[in-house]
């Protein structure tokens, strides 16, 4: 038996090496080898310094060409000077306020502003200084004719106050006293009966109901009213009729639909019932 570490001979029952003192029974753990990629070696290069840019030289200014001398205008004859002064013409391309422009020529400027006097171009519509509208070549049109007067009818408006009329006739009111014990004060027209009802389109002021258990009084038995302070009665085609009994006169049977004027104290028989006008 040999030691796995130092190779010394050992007895079969030896547990430790006599040379190196290591255990001969422990398993030898082999180291794990991991293959790692080796990065490539690159040579470091020195940075290249770019050459500095030199400023371009400015071009030298070229000398301006000398203007050629213009020939002097020939003097005009004396006969043409008065004509130019009379027409008020000026150098082409310029305008003098108040000067006239020859026919066929286009002026660069228009008349001056009426508000501030600033000169304006020919196509300006407003003054560049004050903003006022400039007077252009506006075409003047004829004004509209005056409208013809309309013959409207004259309407007279009534401004007088409305005259108020009394709702009920003037004078002392009339009182109807029935035999059943009811009493009614009337100031206008009305109907009396067990269940009085006006006809379609008929209007009255009073509807007087007469209590009649025997039913001798018709539903709409009697009509009454006033005219100029006089009380009148009219039978409405009742079943038992109406009888007028005035003081000091004979009883009168009323004709249906006819009005009978009565005085205060008159008794009117309505079937088995009656009414006294007071």
């Amino acid at each position: 038996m040999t030691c796995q570490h130092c190779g010394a001979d050992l007895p079969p029952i030896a547990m430790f090496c006599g040379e190196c003192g290591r255990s001969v029974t422990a398993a030898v753990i082999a180291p794990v080898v991991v293959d790692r990629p080796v990065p490539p070696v690159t040579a470091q290069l020195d940075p290249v310094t770019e050459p500095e840019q030199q400023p371009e030289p400015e071009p030298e200014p070229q000398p301006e060409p000398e203007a050629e001398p213009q020939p002097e205008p020939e003097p005009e004859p004396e006969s043409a000077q008065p004509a130019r002064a009379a027409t008020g013409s000026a150098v082409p391309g310029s305008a003098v306020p108040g000067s006239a422009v020859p026919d066929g020529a286009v002026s660069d400027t228009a008349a001056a502003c009426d508000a501030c006097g600033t000169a304006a171009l020919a196509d300006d519509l407003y003054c560049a200084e004050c903003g006022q509208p400039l007077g252009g070549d506006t075409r003047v049109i004829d004004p509209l004719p005056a409208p013809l007067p309309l013959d409207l009818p004259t309407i007279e408006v009534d401004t007088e106050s409305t005259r108020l009329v009394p709702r009920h006739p003037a004078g002392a009111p009339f009182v109807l006293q029935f035999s059943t014990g009811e009493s009614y004060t009337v100031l206008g027209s009305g109907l009396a009966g067990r269940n009085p009802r006006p006809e379609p389109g008929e209007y009255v002021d009073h509807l007087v109901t007469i209590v009649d258990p025997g039913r001798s009084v018709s539903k709409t038995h009697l009509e009454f009213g006033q005219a100029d302070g006089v009380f009148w009665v009219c039978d409405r085609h009742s079943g038992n009729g109406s009888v007028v009994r005035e003081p000091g006169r004979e009883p009168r049977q009323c004709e249906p639909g006819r009005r009978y004027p009565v005085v205060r104290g008159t008794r009117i028989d309505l079937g088995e019932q009656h009414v006294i006008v007071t």
Side-chain angles (χ1 to χ4, degrees), residues 35-276:
D35 296 337
R36 295 181 179 180
V38 179
V41 179
T42 58
Q44 295 182 358
L45 301 177
D46 295 336
V48 179
T49 57
E50 297 180 357
E52 296 182 358
Q53 297 181 358
Q54 299 295 330
E56 297 180 358
E58 296 181 358
E60 297 181 359
Q62 297 294 334
E64 296 181 357
E66 297 181 358
E68 297 181 359
Q70 297 292 338
E72 296 181 359
E74 298 181 0
E76 297 181 358
E78 297 180 357
S79 59
Q81 292 180 0
R84 179 181 296 274
T87 56
S89 60
V91 179
S94 62
V96 179
S99 61
V101 180
D103 295 339
V106 178
S107 177
D108 294 338
T109 59
C113 177
D114 297 337
C116 62
T118 303
L121 298 178
D123 56 350
D124 288 348
L125 300 178
Y126 299 92
C127 178
E129 185 68 24
C130 62
Q132 293 292 330
L134 301 176
D137 297 334
T138 303
R139 182 174 59 87
V140 179
I141 60 175
D142 296 334
L144 297 177
L148 298 177
L150 300 178
D151 296 335
L152 299 178
T154 303
I155 301 175
E156 296 182 0
V157 180
D158 187 5
T159 58
E160 297 293 335
S161 301
T162 304
R163 181 177 60 88
L164 300 179
V165 297
R167 182 65 181 87
H168 301 289
F174 291 88
V175 179
L176 302 180
Q177 295 180 350
F178 291 89
S179 58
T180 56
E182 292 87 358
S183 178
Y184 295 93
T185 301
V186 295
L187 299 173
S189 62
L191 299 174
R194 287 189 298 108
N195 188 14
R197 289 291 182 271
E199 296 293 335
E202 183 182 14
Y203 300 95
V204 295
D205 297 319
H206 304 279
L207 294 176
V208 180
T209 302
I210 302 175
V211 180
D212 182 23
R215 302 178 65 182
S216 62
V217 179
S218 299
K219 291 183 178 180
T220 304
H221 196 113
L222 185 71
E223 180 184 0
F224 58 88
Q226 303 179 53
D228 298 331
V230 179
F231 194 82
W232 55 265
V233 294
C234 175
D235 185 80
R236 294 289 293 259
H237 300 273
S238 62
N240 293 318
S242 303
V243 179
V244 175
R245 299 178 184 273
E246 291 184 330
R249 298 185 62 179
E250 295 292 331
R252 291 179 294 173
Q253 184 72 32
C254 295
E255 296 179 8
R258 179 181 176 183
R259 292 182 179 183
Y260 291 86
V262 297
V263 297
R264 298 179 189 273
T266 301
R267 170 178 167 172
I268 305 169
D269 295 339
L270 308 174
E272 296 177 353
Q273 306 295 333
H274 66 272
V275 59
I276 298 175

